[in-house]
Amino acid sequence: MLSWSIRPIAELVLRNVRRQPATRLYPRERRSPFPRTRGQIAFRIDDCDFCTICAHKCPTQAIVVHRIDKTWAIDHGRCILCSNCVEGCPNGCIRLRNEPHPPLRAHEILTFRKGYESPPPPPPVTVEPPTAG
Amino acid sequence: MANTTLVPFGPQHPVLPEPIHLDLELEDERVVRALPSIGYVHRGLERLAEHYDFIEMAQVAERICGICSFIHGQGYCQGVESLMGVEVPPRAAYLRTLWAELSRIQSHLLWLGLAADALGYESLFQHSWRIREQVLDLIEETAGGRVIFGVCKVGGVRKDVDAELLQSVRQRIGTIRTQFAEITRIFTVDPTIQRRTRGIGYLSPEDAHHLGAVGPVARGSGIARDTRTLGYAAYGELDWEPIVEQGGDCYARCLVRIREIDQSCELIIQCIDRMPDGPIEVSVKGKRPQGEALFRLEQPRGEVCYYMHASGKKNLDRFRVRTPTFANIAPLVHMLKGCELADVPVIVLTIDPCVSCNER
Ligand code: SF4
Ligand code: SF4
């Protein structure tokens, strides 16, 4: 009775011993996302005319657009990747990328401002090698 | 009257992925009465429909449940479309059927894993979920999301699946089928599983009918009740028949689900072979839903009903969902009467309770 009862499961286990592992060693080995994966919202400010359509179409109010200040902000923690904003934008500024957004460590809102230029990188500091004295 | 003991079961219990509470009245080890209570994760999504734009509400409807997400979205969209008098193109209907069946496969595999775990078969649990992972990959590759598909919208579907991808899905469904056949054998021939499920939690066909059982619970009791026979989406054009088992016990319900996975694979292959060409959506610009109607769809857990009332505004006046788990709680209470305390987890699991679904 016992041998009969464990036979099917034992066969399966034995066959699996000879197979490759079914799992990945996750942090070291990562699967690349599929081309269609809804990963994260990417924004390019160049063509945006701050019409606020995307903010109105967003079901979770993740996007805040300011017409006068010319800013466009997104809270990736609220976005549910529905792509309503992508379909709604008349100028094609918003895109859905397939790489998932890295985990957020704190609540942050990513703001873009028209005409904003990132500050120039600080000049490299050169240190004289100590002279042998 | 003999002394009875009251044993609380849930809301936190190892076999329950979600909170449902049962008060079990015991005489020795035998259950004489079970009193369910729900409402631990109520979210008020039905009320939300009265404020949300009806187009955006499709996103919310899909989030009613994580496991049957696509079919909730599909049901909502079909309802709104018929209130607007819009008919989706045939290709969209076929794609919806394809995704609905993929979602049925992953849901049943998830349940099989949980059932194996409840019966003490840890490695069988992992085997079911290994196969489920491949189905989730198929879903992500075609729809873009693993749990929330996000492809169903009012008027059609968002994404088209090209012929090459369809062929690859077809071929991989075949592989999944062969792998699944291996683990099916264990479920069907293993004597331990048989002893723990055969004759346990019996529900007679009459009781199933009177108590309004739906889905695999009704079909496991010999009632051929499957809403897909109404022929919504593409089901009217595919060749299939509802799966019925006569046992009425936990084993029969398990078998129904196992056979349904195989049937869903078959339906997907038929869908791919008969996929018509053409557009995938129709424009619903300027149209507003108007009227009142009730729609029924078949979810992995059974029949789901959507009631909608709209009066041409940008939101619905009333939206109500009757989920299959809710319908199956009355048969569950009946099945629990007279069973042993040790069998309660298995019986509760065989109705495949999806509590978050239940508490929209
Ligand atoms: S819809 Fe497009 S153009 Fe309008 S504010 Fe949004 S991103 Fe800018
Ligand atoms: S994808 Fe959806 S949720 Fe995310 S920002 Fe766009 S509209 Fe909002």
Side-chain angles (χ1 to χ4, degrees):
Chain A
M1 186 65 197
L2 185 70
S3 66
W4 158 237
S5 82
I6 60 166
R7 212 179 120 202
I9 192 109
E11 275 174 10
L12 191 64
V13 169
L14 278 179
R15 226 172 311 144
N16 274 308
V17 169
R18 277 177 270 131
R19 274 194 205 146
Q20 294 283 315
T23 47
R24 257 172 243 110
L25 287 171
Y26 168 62
R28 256 184 286 155
E29 210 180 299
R30 295 190 187 206
R31 189 193 73 185
S32 54
F34 294 114
R36 286 182 169 210
T37 304
R38 283 174 287 135
Q40 60 173 300
I41 290 293
F43 178 67
R44 225 189 56 236
I45 202 160
D46 304 353
D47 301 328
C48 177
D49 51 16
F50 305 95
C51 62
T52 73
I53 290 178
C54 54
H56 280 111
K57 292 239 168 179
C58 178
T60 56
Q61 290 93 39
I63 300 179
V64 176
V65 182
H66 210 293
R67 264 177 218 247
I68 298 162
D69 293 357
K70 300 229 180 297
T71 60
W72 188 98
I74 182 166
D75 179 350
H76 281 294
R78 289 189 83 121
C79 173
I80 55 167
L81 301 166
C82 63
S83 68
N84 279 4
C85 53
V86 181
E87 286 166 16
C89 178
N91 300 334
C93 309
I94 312 178
R95 207 160 50 85
L96 197 57
R97 278 175 50 198
N98 66 349
E99 302 104 64
H101 196 279
L104 294 171
R105 283 164 194 268
H107 181 221
E108 54 185 51
I109 294 173
L110 184 66
T111 308
F112 297 82
R113 182 174 289 121
K114 190 107 183 174
Y116 177 80
E117 292 200 4
S118 51
V125 183
T126 47
V127 181
E128 294 269 315
T131 46
Chain B
M1 196 184 136
N3 274 346
T4 56
T5 329
L6 201 66
V7 174
F9 179 88
Q12 300 291 334
H13 191 278
V15 300
L16 294 174
E18 291 168 305
I20 180 171
H21 177 80
L22 290 166
D23 271 325
L24 303 172
E25 220 172 273
L26 300 183
E27 234 170 53
D28 291 338
E29 288 275 305
R30 200 161 287 280
V31 180
V32 285
R33 210 160 68 103
L35 200 67
S37 51
I38 52 174
Y40 292 92
V41 282
H42 186 73
R43 290 159 294 159
L45 296 182
E46 289 176 352
R47 178 86 178 125
L48 204 59
E50 295 165 26
H51 302 285
Y52 253 56
D53 184 298
F54 69 90
I55 303 262
E56 283 171 17
M57 187 62 199
Q59 310 283 353
V60 180
E62 217 180 24
R63 284 164 173 79
I64 290 178
C65 174
I67 310 173
C68 16
S69 60
F70 183 78
I71 304 183
H72 274 302
Q74 183 191 10
Y76 175 84
C77 293
Q78 267 177 224
V80 172
E81 280 152 13
S82 78
L83 286 184
M84 290 196 295
V86 170
E87 196 161 324
V88 296
R91 189 171 174 95
Y94 268 82
L95 283 171
R96 281 182 182 180
T97 313
L98 174 84
W99 278 313
E101 289 308 318
L102 277 174
S103 116
R104 193 179 314 277
I105 298 179
Q106 67 91 359
S107 168
H108 281 347
L109 279 170
L110 178 130
W111 178 83
L112 274 181
L114 290 179
D117 193 34
L119 294 168
Y121 279 67
E122 299 244 333
S123 77
L124 197 52
F125 161 54
Q126 299 296 343
H127 275 293
S128 306
W129 283 40
R130 173 176 58 100
I131 299 176
R132 176 172 180 260
E133 194 55 38
Q134 301 173 20
V135 182
L136 288 183
D137 276 353
L138 282 183
I139 294 173
E140 185 176 345
E141 213 172 326
T142 51
R146 281 163 59 84
V147 174
I148 301 291
F149 290 47
V151 277
C152 208
K153 70 171 185 181
V154 177
V157 290
R158 276 215 160 86
K159 286 182 181 159
D160 202 354
V161 184
D162 56 23
E164 199 182 321
L165 191 51
L166 280 179
Q167 283 316 314
S168 130
V169 171
R170 191 184 190 286
Q171 185 220 333
R172 274 145 69 190
I173 282 288
T175 328
I176 289 170
R177 235 175 152 178
T178 20
Q179 290 185 3
F180 180 63
E182 281 178 7
I183 66 165
T184 315
R185 241 192 93 223
I186 299 168
F187 272 103
T188 46
V189 304
D190 191 278
T192 320
I193 290 184
Q194 303 234 357
R195 262 194 233 157
R196 290 220 49 196
T197 52
R198 258 192 204 271
I200 306 284
Y202 179 71
L203 186 71
S204 68
E206 295 78 41
D207 286 337
H209 179 74
H210 290 310
L211 294 169
V214 293
V217 179
R219 292 197 285 277
S221 287
I223 300 181
R225 192 180 278 167
D226 192 326
T227 322
R228 287 177 286 173
T229 45
L230 296 179
Y232 65 87
Y235 290 113
E237 297 164 28
L238 304 177
D239 304 323
W240 67 283
E241 274 193 358
I243 282 168
V244 180
E245 285 286 335
Q246 303 297 338
D249 50 9
C250 292
Y251 184 66
R253 292 191 275 278
C254 188
L255 273 191
V256 168
R257 294 203 175 88
I258 288 176
R259 289 176 53 200
E260 274 187 9
I261 294 177
D262 217 36
Q263 183 190 47
S264 293
C265 293
E266 178 60 42
L267 281 174
I268 289 173
I269 290 174
Q270 283 188 29
C271 260
I272 293 174
D273 290 345
R274 303 182 189 182
M275 182 77 66
D277 289 328
I280 55 164
E281 57 172 313
V282 284
S283 169
V284 291
K285 235 186 181 136
K287 292 205 180 95
R288 290 279 164 88
Q290 190 142 26
E292 181 183 28
L294 182 80
F295 306 92
R296 298 190 294 153
L297 265 84
E298 186 73 14
Q299 271 196 346
R301 288 162 186 74
E303 175 190 304
V304 56
C305 300
Y306 299 90
Y307 168 79
M308 287 181 194
H309 184 278
S311 52
K313 290 199 292 255
K314 82 179 216 322
N315 43 19
L316 300 175
D317 291 342
R318 181 82 176 92
F319 176 52
R320 163 115 179 92
V321 189
R322 203 287 320 264
T323 54
T325 306
F326 188 72
N328 279 337
I329 285 181
L332 169 70
V333 170
H334 183 80
M335 281 182 243
L336 286 176
K337 258 182 226 156
C339 75
E340 296 280 331
L341 179 61
D343 291 331
V344 172
V346 177
I347 300 179
V348 172
L349 210 64
T350 51
I351 72 157
D352 199 358
C354 178
V355 182
S356 295
C357 229
N358 202 0
E359 305 182 10
R360 294 81 51 201

